[in-house]
């Protein structure tokens, strides 16, 4: 700015020959070449636009019990979900015969089962070793979404929601039961 | 004809609003930009995270230890564990003290680990800094077995609270 200023003022002085009036004079024709500034600004802008990733990863919290002690539970409170190697989900309350459930119906199923037994229901999730992690997350996600519906439903009855959920190992017996389905 | 040939000598375009907006965007992107960590620029694989529905919880960045379960070659079956820590002081201590790790790995940001290594690293991290938070960042194509083994290791070392890293589902 200083360079442009003196240049303009110098020209004025040479023309008029009145150095005393220089300070008061309005610099009407003042032009600053902004091109390099704009060039750099746009360069940086494009750089930052291309390097930023808008989707920051989010997290899903998990808590696992420190020890796998044998805890005695009532059969009626158990609700088993089994995920087979091909990603199909089967459910059975207590020791009933397992039934196939579609992923989109899982939420409704869990909601109803939880509502019936209130906080007593224990969800046991058994996942086959060959299940893709993608499917595991989808099932866990559905189960998490159910909580979002359950909390207000329980609140109407002044019942705080206590979640009882566990991931158990898939045994040979489990596999046998869902194999023919 | 003369009109067409005439040079437009006094042509002035007011660039002020353009520059205003450009700078506004520039500052916005500069402040929101988050750069890859050193460890990430070192890694040769890319993790395709599974999608989960929108959650407000973001990944913590302080005292975080990340276990990455990644497919690190063209072959889908080749899955490996990687261990990475954000706290530099802890990282140096953990990587040097953990037993059974190959010496060539110790200076790295990210350690390629076996299950036994992982157990050692998780345990050592908890000794060095009990506030260490754990996250499992796994590729969506891996088999559950890898995650299950990893969780078993965490259970053994009493790191019972951890996070699974996911991506936000689009269009929800």
């Amino acid at each position: 700015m200083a360079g442009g200023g003196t240049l303009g003022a110098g020209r004025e002085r040479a023309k008029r020959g009145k150095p005393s009036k220089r300070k008061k004079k309005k610099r009407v024709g003042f032009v600053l070449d902004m091109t390099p500034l704009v060039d750099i600004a746009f360069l940086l802008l494009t750089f930052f636009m291309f390097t930023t990733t808008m989707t920051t990863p989010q997290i899903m919290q998990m808590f696992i019990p420190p020890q796998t002690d044998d805890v005695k539970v009532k059969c009626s409170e158990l609700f088993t979900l089994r995920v087979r190697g091909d990603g199909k989900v089967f459910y059975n309350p207590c020791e009933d015969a397992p039934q196939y459930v579609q992923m989109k119906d899982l939420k409704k199923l869990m909601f109803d089962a939880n509502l019936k037994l209130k906080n007593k229901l224990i969800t046991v999730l058994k996942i086959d070793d060959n299940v893709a992690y993608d499917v595991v997350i989808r099932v866990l996600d559905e189960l998490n979404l159910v909580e979002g519906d359950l909390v207000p439903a329980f609140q109407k009855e002044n019942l705080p929601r206590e979640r009882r959920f566990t991931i158990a190992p898939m045994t040979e017996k489990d596999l046998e039961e869902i194999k023919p389905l | 004809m003369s009109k067409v040939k005439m040079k437009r000598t006094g042509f002035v375009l007011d660039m002020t609003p353009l520059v205003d907006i450009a700078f506004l965007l520039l500052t916005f992107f500069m402040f929101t930009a988050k750069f890859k960590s050193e460890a990430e620029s070192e890694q040769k694989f890319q993790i395709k995270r599974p999608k989960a529905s929108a959650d407000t919880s973001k990944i913590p960045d302080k005292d975080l230890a990340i276990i990455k379960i990644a497919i690190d070659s063209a072959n889908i079956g080749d899955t490996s564990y990687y261990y990475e820590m954000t706290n530099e002081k802890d990282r140096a201590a953990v990587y040097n003290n953990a037993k059974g790790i190959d010496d060539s790995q110790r200076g790295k940001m990210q350690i390629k680990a076996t299950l036994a290594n992982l157990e050692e690293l998780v345990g050592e991290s908890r000794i060095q800094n009990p506030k260490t938070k754990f996250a499992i960042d796994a590729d969506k194509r891996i088999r559950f077995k890898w995650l299950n083994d990893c969780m078993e290791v965490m259970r053994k070392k009493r790191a019972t609270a951890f996070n699974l890293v996911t991506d936000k589902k689009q269009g929800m």
Side-chain angles (χ1 to χ4, degrees), chain A residues 136-150:
Chain A
V136 178
I137 288 293
R138 223 181 312 155
V139 173
L140 287 175
D141 194 35
E142 290 296 322
L143 293 180
N144 283 340
L145 286 176
V146 176
E147 292 307 303
D149 293 343
L150 279 174

Side-chain angles (χ1 to χ4, degrees), chain A residues 61-112:
Chain A
Q61 283 198 313
M62 285 280 289
F63 297 96
I64 49 175
Q67 221 103 45
T68 38
D69 292 332
D70 281 336
V71 191
K72 288 270 175 286
V73 286
K74 270 189 230 155
C75 177
S76 61
E77 292 172 358
L78 280 178
F79 194 92
T80 314
L81 284 175
R82 279 179 274 209
V83 189
R84 200 164 65 178
D86 56 3
K88 282 185 173 159
V89 187
F90 301 89
Y91 74 97
N92 64 301
C94 191
E95 281 176 351
D96 294 3
Q99 276 175 285
Y100 171 64
V101 61
Q102 276 187 304
M103 198 67 86
K104 60 178 167 60
D105 301 327
L106 186 62
K107 210 170 132 189
K108 176 95 176 53
L109 176 83
M110 290 311 295
F111 183 76
D112 292 344

Side-chain angles (χ1 to χ4, degrees), chain B residues 41-56:
Chain B
S41 49
E42 201 179 86
Q43 85 185 16
K44 290 181 186 67
F45 53 86
Q46 203 195 357
I47 288 178
K48 284 185 190 146
R49 299 194 181 94
K51 301 242 186 301
S53 40
D55 194 331
T56 47

